[in-house]
């Protein structure tokens, strides 16, 4: 028992950076693993003690560098008991701390050992290059925390406290900072595993790098890679929202003027297509962010089974976003729908003065068959009105902002206020999307085979996506 | 080239989300194929290349590329014909028997030079404008029209859009469109050269210059300067005397005189040489240069991974977490931590007192015979018997309740009904002190106030067991902060938390009815009653 095993200090170059995640039971160690690995399904999480009883490794690949291995460990449940046990062991054997810990770890492999669970955690800490010590800052610092810190401090491995549950109203961050400073722990990270914060995650890796500085380069790479991934997902999400807005803005439905009853059919058809497109956008956003439609309960956004509970064509929905529904009655169309062009009495040549209109009529004819083709001359076109466009923009922005703030450790609906997009952003999105109206060809909702994708459409989508991203910046997401 | 093709295949197939589904059967195989690559771009390419639809996509791309080639070829032929016609008209157009060499060169090269200067200016001024102007755009337009009429099925359409974006969109677009323009001009000038040569070979032309207001020196200097280029390449060019002699003053006799003074082929050399040196050669060179740049840009442009269709694949193709495995397995034989379960029915099991020092250590006993099962509320219900004698109250890792410590339950009454205050215990030393106090003067009832928001773990069990064995007549656990716990937990989790506390008390050797719910922070009306009985007011 003279030479403590320390594999990472061996002569062979390190194969990975090993980071153990330790802490009391039920402080969110497994949740932290989930958020850091972006795996909703990692391990098992519950409010009960000793949910995790094994050590599970997750390897994060770092492009062109050493991988970072995170280890989820069982909780340190009885640290006071363990500390007494180790004290006892030291007085019996005369070992110094590190030898006593290594002896304990070697002895306590038997499942019947009273501290077998703690031994697993400590063994992993001893095998690691750094340890993340997770605490629940809703609790005050207690004797057991001091005991845990005492033991971890004797393991000859740098320890970085991770303050979890910082988004909770009961969080006592300053108290924890002060108490940790008293035991000489000045580096710490505040990182909520449920309310994700990209900057907090970057700080986490930076601080590990500061504690284990020979791994600074690969850790910085990991941090940059994660930032790049996030930027990519953010842009892709913004493009997704932009595409939906272009599709919705361009969506049209037509009916023959002399068929009064056709109006309600056309309206229903238009609304159904727009609703479906919105649901598709929700599904794709969830997919992009690694959340499923059904296993994430987004009840704070009133989404169930991948759809918003409230209909976008319900005036009250719009009112929620500060958008007032248009005076639909005056136009003769239903709520959320505007009559675009009244082509009755106009000749086909007049109505088709623009190629766009011709394209639309052609498509409509193709979609609805000969029935309409015969009546092309007396066509009324319906489209989604401005208020609805703004409502669509606001809702997707809100969902997106929430998804960007959602850690993969989250299982319950986020308790935080969801970030509502700024009014100016929503209005600008509505304004920009309107440009897609005169070109029904651009909307996938009018062309069953998919929208045409010319340069001007791409430019509009990019401009809308820019606005979405700027809006997210403004909302701090 | 194969990488470029693969990227085009990826861009073609990405349009259809159902095709590129990594969860579907073929998608999963493709995923395995893609995992072998390092670079994300290469992974995405490999994924699409391994899909069964890749074959059809390649065929569609081939068709579109062939169509594009034919369009370009057609454009080149048309340009050459147009060049030949224009040059033919310029060289043999006039009624006169002589050709004004300045007008001829202007006609052959003027437009081309103006276009070249504009192209350069736009390129210098600001990048992407180049992709939107010029003759090259025309070819693209033509190809799109043709492809639009030919392409019926969605795959052809996607292939066309993918090609469009990669070849003519940023960043390659400015160079491909430029190359198209230069190519067309090269063909135009080549056609012109051929027709000039034809005319020169079959007609006798007299080249002259004329002026009304300028002096002869101007023309000798101008033509001398023009001739410098062709002369450098070895074309025969007229010398200064020949140029001076070629001034045209009108009249049939003059034509004779000028023709006599013309050197053999010197003027033809000037015209042909200028056409090559100032027309064909620069266009060809610039065209080759932009062609090389275009090729490079087309090849180097990676997939746009911010496109949703690609971005959504990245978690599958290049996950943040590469792999996971258990490195130290769960204990095989240890019984579950707390054997309480929410949904099971709740027959109150007989309480088997635990013995031995194991329990002090917090080791759980196997509960095969005595499973603790709790549903809904607490097994003890709301019934708390009054104490048989003196009461002692102790806090176990709790915050001081809002009403103060020791707990004040009924306003106006002494705290906890005058029970002995053992303080709030946090840590081993405080626990030992409290146990000593209890052992000194054992109360009839020890009330341990604990926090429902805390997770009862082995440390808790060990502490409770120590207290239970300290010598008090009976030990009860009073769970406070229920309102906070309920705010944090779902109903089901709150019920589970209660069950876990009951199980922990049970593990510590206490009866199931030992756990009493009493929110000291927010006591309700009926709580005062229970508190009075609990603390023996
Ligand atoms: N609100 C909130 N809940 C959290 C947070 N971290 C973990 N949890 C919850 O706390 C409980 C315990 O988490 P778990 O990861 O199993 O803890 P472990 O025992 O340390 O692995 C679970 O119900 C989590 O959903 C957090 O930052 N905020
Ligand atoms: Mg866990």
């Amino acid at each position: 028992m003279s030479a403590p095993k320390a594999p990472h200090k061996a002569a062979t170059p390190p194969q990975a950076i090993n980071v153990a995640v330790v802490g009391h039971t039920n402080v969110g160690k497994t949740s932290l693993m989930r958020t850091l690995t972006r795996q909703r399904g990692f391990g098992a999480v519950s409010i009960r003690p000793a949910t995790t009883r094994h050590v599970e490794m997750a390897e994060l690949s770092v492009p062109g560098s050493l991988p970072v291995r995170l280890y989820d460990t069982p909780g340190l449940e009885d640290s006071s008991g363990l500390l007494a046990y180790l004290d006892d062991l030291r007085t019996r054997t005369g070992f110094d701390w590190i030898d006593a810990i290594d002896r304990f770890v070697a002895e306590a492999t038997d499942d019947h050992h009273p501290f077998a669970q703690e031994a697993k955690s400590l063994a992993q800490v001893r095998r690691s290059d750094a340890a993340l010590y997770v605490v629940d800052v809703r609790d005050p610092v207690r004797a057991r925390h001091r005991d845990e810190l005492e033991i971890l401090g004797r393991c000859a491995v740098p320890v970085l406290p991770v303050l979890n549950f910082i988004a909770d109203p009961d969080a006592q961050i300053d108290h924890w900072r002060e108490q940790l400073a008293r035991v000489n722990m000045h580096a710490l990270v505040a990182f909520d595993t449920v309310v994700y914060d990209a900057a907090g995650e970057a700080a986490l890796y930076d601080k590990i790098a500061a504690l284990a500085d020979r791994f600074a380069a690969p850790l910085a790479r990991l941090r940059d890679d994660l930032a790049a991934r996030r930027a990519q997902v953010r842009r892709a999400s913004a493009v997704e929202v932009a595409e939906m807005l272009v599709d919705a803005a361009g969506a049209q439905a037509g009916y023959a003027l002399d068929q009064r009853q056709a109006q309600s059919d056309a309206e229903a058809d238009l609304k159904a297509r727009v609703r479906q497109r919105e649901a598709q956008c929700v599904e794709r956003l969830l997919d992009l962010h690694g959340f499923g439609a059904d296993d994430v309960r987004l009840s704070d956004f009133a989404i169930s089974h991948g759809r918003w509970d409230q209909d976008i064509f319900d005036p009250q929905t719009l009112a929620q976003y500060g958008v007032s529904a248009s005076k639909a009655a005056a136009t003769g169309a239903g709520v959320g729908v505007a009559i675009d062009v009244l082509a009755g009495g106009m000749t086909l040549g007049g109505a088709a003065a623009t190629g766009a209109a011709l394209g639309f009529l052609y498509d409509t004819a193709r979609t609805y068959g000969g029935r309409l083709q015969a009546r092309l001359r007396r066509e009324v076109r319906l489209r989604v009105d401005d208020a609805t466009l703004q409502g669509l923009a606001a809702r997707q922005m809100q969902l997106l902002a929430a998804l960007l703030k959602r850690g993969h450790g989250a299982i319950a609906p986020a308790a935080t206020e969801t970030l509502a997009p700024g009014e100016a952003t929503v209005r600008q999105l509505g304004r920009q999307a309107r440009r897609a109206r005169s070109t029904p060809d651009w909307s996938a909702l009018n062309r069953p085979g998919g929208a045409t994708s010319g340069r001007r459409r791409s430019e509009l989508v990019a401009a809308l996506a820019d606005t979405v991203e700027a809006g997210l910046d403004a909302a701090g997401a | 080239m194969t990488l470029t093709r693969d990227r085009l295949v990826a861009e073609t197939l990405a349009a259809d989300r159902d095709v590129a589904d990594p969860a579907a059967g073929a998608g999963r195989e493709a995923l395995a194929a893609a995992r072998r690559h390092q670079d994300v771009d290469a992974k995405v390419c490999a994924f699409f290349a391994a899909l069964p639809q890749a074959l059809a996509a390649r065929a569609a791309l081939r068709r579109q590329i062939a169509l594009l080639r034919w369009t370009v070829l057609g454009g080149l032929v048309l340009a050459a014909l147009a060049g030949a016609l224009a040059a033919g008209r310029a060289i043999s157009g006039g009624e006169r028997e002589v050709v004004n060499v300045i007008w001829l060169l202007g006609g052959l090269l003027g437009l081309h030079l103006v276009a070249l200067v504009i192209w350069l200016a736009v390129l210098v001024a600001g990048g992407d404008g180049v992709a939107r102007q010029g003759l090259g755009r025309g070819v693209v337009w033509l190809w799109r029209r043709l492809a639009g009429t030919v392409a019926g099925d969605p795959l052809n359409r996607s292939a066309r859009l993918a090609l469009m974006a990669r070849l003519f969109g940023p960043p390659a677009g400015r160079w491909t469109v430029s190359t198209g323009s230069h190519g067309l001009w090269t063909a135009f000038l080549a056609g012109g050269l051929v027709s000039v040569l034809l005319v020169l070979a079959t007609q006798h032309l007299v080249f002259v210059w004329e002026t009304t207001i300028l002096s002869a020196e101007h023309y000798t200097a101008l033509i001398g300067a023009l001739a410098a280029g062709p002369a450098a390449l070895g074309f025969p060019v007229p010398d200064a005397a020949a140029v001076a002699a070629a001034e045209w003053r009108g009249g049939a006799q003059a034509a004779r005189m000028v023709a006599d003074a013309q050197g053999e082929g010197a003027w033809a050399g000037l015209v042909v040489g200028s056409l090559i040196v100032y027309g064909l050669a620069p266009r060809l060179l610039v065209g080759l240069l932009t062609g090389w740049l275009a090729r490079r840009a087309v090849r180097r442009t990676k997939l746009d991974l911010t496109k949703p269709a690609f971005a959504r694949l990245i978690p599958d193709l290049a996950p943040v977490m590469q792999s996971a495995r258990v490195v130290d397995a769960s204990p095989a034989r240890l019984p579950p931590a707390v054997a309480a379960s929410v949904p099971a029915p709740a027959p109150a099991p007989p309480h088997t007192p635990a013995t031995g020092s194991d329990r002090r250590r917090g080791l759980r006993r196997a509960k095969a015979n005595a499973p603790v099962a709790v549903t809904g509320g607490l097994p003890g219900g709301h019934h708390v018997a009054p104490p048989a004698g003196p009461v002692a109250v102790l806090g176990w890792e709790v915050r001081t309740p809002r009403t103060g410590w020791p707990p004040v339950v009924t306003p106006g009454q002494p705290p906890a009904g005058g029970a002995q205050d053992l303080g709030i215990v946090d840590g081993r030393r405080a626990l030992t002190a409290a146990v000593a106090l209890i052992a000194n003067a054992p109360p009839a009832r020890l009330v341990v106030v604990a926090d429902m928001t805390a997770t009862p773990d082995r440390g808790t069990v060990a502490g409770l067991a120590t207290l239970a064995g300290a010598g008090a007549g009976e030990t009860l656990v009073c769970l406070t902060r229920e309102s906070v716990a309920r705010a944090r937990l779902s109903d089901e989790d709150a019920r589970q938390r209660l069950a876990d506390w009951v199980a922990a008390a049970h593990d510590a050797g206490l009866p199931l009815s030992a756990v009493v719910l009493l929110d000291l922070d927010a006591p309700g009306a009926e709580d005062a009653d229970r508190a009075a009985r609990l603390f023996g007011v």
Side-chain angles (χ1 to χ4, degrees), chain B residues 107-198:
Chain B
L108 289 175
L109 295 172
L111 201 57
H112 137 77
L113 285 172
V114 169
L116 192 62
V117 166
I118 291 178
W119 174 80
L120 255 176
V122 175
L123 184 69
V124 171
D128 276 343
V130 168
R132 289 182 197 171
Q133 54 119 41
L135 288 173
R137 196 78 235 162
V139 174
V140 178
W141 182 86
L142 194 65
W143 169 66
R144 252 179 54 196
R145 293 295 119 174
L146 288 173
T149 51
V150 172
D153 72 304
L155 199 59
N156 270 330
R157 229 173 68 85
S158 310
R160 175 164 59 88
L161 294 178
L163 267 178
M164 275 284 295
R166 180 155 284 269
L167 294 182
F168 307 119
R174 56 197 300 209
W175 303 127
T176 38
V177 170
S178 298
T179 308
S181 295
H182 298 318
L184 289 178
W185 274 110
T186 307
F188 183 87
L189 292 167
L193 181 65
V194 168
S195 103
V196 164
L197 285 174
L198 262 177

Side-chain angles (χ1 to χ4, degrees), chain A residues 1-5 95-96 98-107:
Chain A
M1 270 300 126
S2 51
K5 59 181 162 111
F95 281 170
D96 64 4
I98 201 75
D99 288 347
I101 287 172
D102 282 338
R103 157 73 78 88
F104 158 68
V105 161
E107 274 177 4

Side-chain angles (χ1 to χ4, degrees), chain A residues 21-35 44-52 72-75 134-136 138 163-168 191-195 409-415, chain B residues 455 488-489 493 497:
Chain A
V21 176
V22 291
H24 202 79
T25 188
N26 226 355
V27 290
K29 298 180 294 299
T30 306
S31 303
L32 177 66
M33 293 288 290
R34 288 184 170 183
T35 297
V45 165
S46 83
I47 58 118
R48 308 194 58 198
T51 308
T52 308
D72 189 20
T73 63
V134 186
V135 293
D136 177 352
R138 296 174 304 181
L163 309 189
N164 192 14
F165 291 95
I166 50 165
D168 195 277
F191 184 70
D192 199 287
T193 61
V194 167
V195 184
I411 45 177
Chain B
T455 316
R488 286 184 191 172
L489 304 173
D493 283 349
R497 177 59 55 77

